[in-house]
Amino acid sequence: MLTPTPSREFHFTEQDFEKVRKLIYDYAGIALSPTKHDMVYGRLARRLRALGLTTFQQYLQILERGDSKEFELFTNSLTTNLTSLFRESHHFDVLRQHLQEHKSQGLFSIWCAASSTGEEPYSIAITACEAFDSLRPPVKIIATDLDTNVLETAKTAIYSGEEVQKLTPARVQRFFNKLPDGRYQVKQELRDMIVFRRLNLIEPNWMIRGPFDSIFCRNVMIYFDKPTQLKILQRFAPLLRGNGLLFVGHSENLYHANDLFKLKGKTVYELVSPSLGMPNGR
Ligand SMILES: C[S@@+](CC[C@H](N)C(=O)[O-])C[C@H]1O[C@@H](n2cnc3c(N)ncnc32)[C@H](O)[C@@H]1O
């Protein structure tokens, strides 16, 4: 017996779904699984409501006509932005050690390539402060993401009490100010270390310049297929310093790029040969 389709506010055909999949793949490299039909419906139905549309066909026509503002909102709706402070905390121990080992090298530059709502670059900034025992360490961070919405949240540097209180009281006191509404804001000194910018990892021209001592590109490659991942990894290698580190997410691996990167520790990679990157000296 066939299970009846639950009645929906908007008609969303398989063909509509396929068009959405193609649009987001071509634009952002995000390979949406065919099982994400309901998720896509739920996220985009909000856009139809906001625009007062009655069908997905009307919505797709707006996108296909090249409405850039709506395309941005469409993209923001389809990204998954899950993140947290000190997510995969072992990476920050490796970063701290790397900074301390190369302390004498001058200014460090770190790229956080899918920074979402900012918890990751602020965790990098906290780690840098701890490594140099200073609120003004010689470290600059460029934090980028495709999603303009999350970048706006990241710039505010405000996080819930629930999230911030997972850190040790000493860290909270040293790096955050408590706001009257119970939330916390990252201190200005740490915010000054970070520049936030929109950057699409599959764009042919990245408006970004190395060399970087570390690149964090965590939990975003999982949304890309292997050929897309490889193209990005080939562009990361020459932007890293010869002794630089590439941090990827817990479920990601770079076996398909083993001519470029070798495993150094748990999902931390280094260049196979320093000559693939930029010189170490400043
Ligand atoms: C799951 S979050 C990961 C956040 C953080 N790196 C972490 O590990 O906690 C994935 C992020 O990748 C971003 N993203 C997806 N496609 C992208 C692309 N083509 N270029 C840049 N960022 C992208 C999303 O907007 C989202 O904020």
Side-chain angles (χ1 to χ4, degrees), residues 27-30 75 79-84 87-88 112-117 119-120 144-147 150 199-203 216-220 222-224 232 249:
Y27 181 67
I30 297 173
T75 308
T79 56
T80 298
N81 310 115
L82 183 78
T83 186
S84 58
R87 181 181 195 185
E88 297 169 47
C112 179
S115 56
S116 189
T117 38
E119 287 87 335
E120 186 174 54
T144 63
D145 201 284
L146 169 69
D147 183 332
V150 293
L199 185 144
N200 182 351
L201 283 166
I202 75 152
E203 249 164 30
F216 279 68
C217 185
R218 307 189 311 161
N219 305 303
V220 61
I222 34 167
Y223 300 105
F224 304 150
I232 294 170

Side-chain angles (χ1 to χ4, degrees), residues 239-259:
L239 288 174
L240 265 182
R241 286 199 192 279
N243 63 6
L245 299 178
L246 173 62
F247 296 82
V248 302
H250 63 283
S251 61
E252 295 160 332
N253 69 65
L254 308 190
Y255 299 136
H256 51 309
N258 61 8
D259 55 334

Side-chain angles (χ1 to χ4, degrees), residues 141-157:
I141 301 162
I142 168 125
T144 63
D145 201 284
L146 169 69
D147 183 332
T148 49
N149 226 356
V150 293
L151 285 168
E152 286 313 308
T153 304
K155 283 181 208 163
T156 68

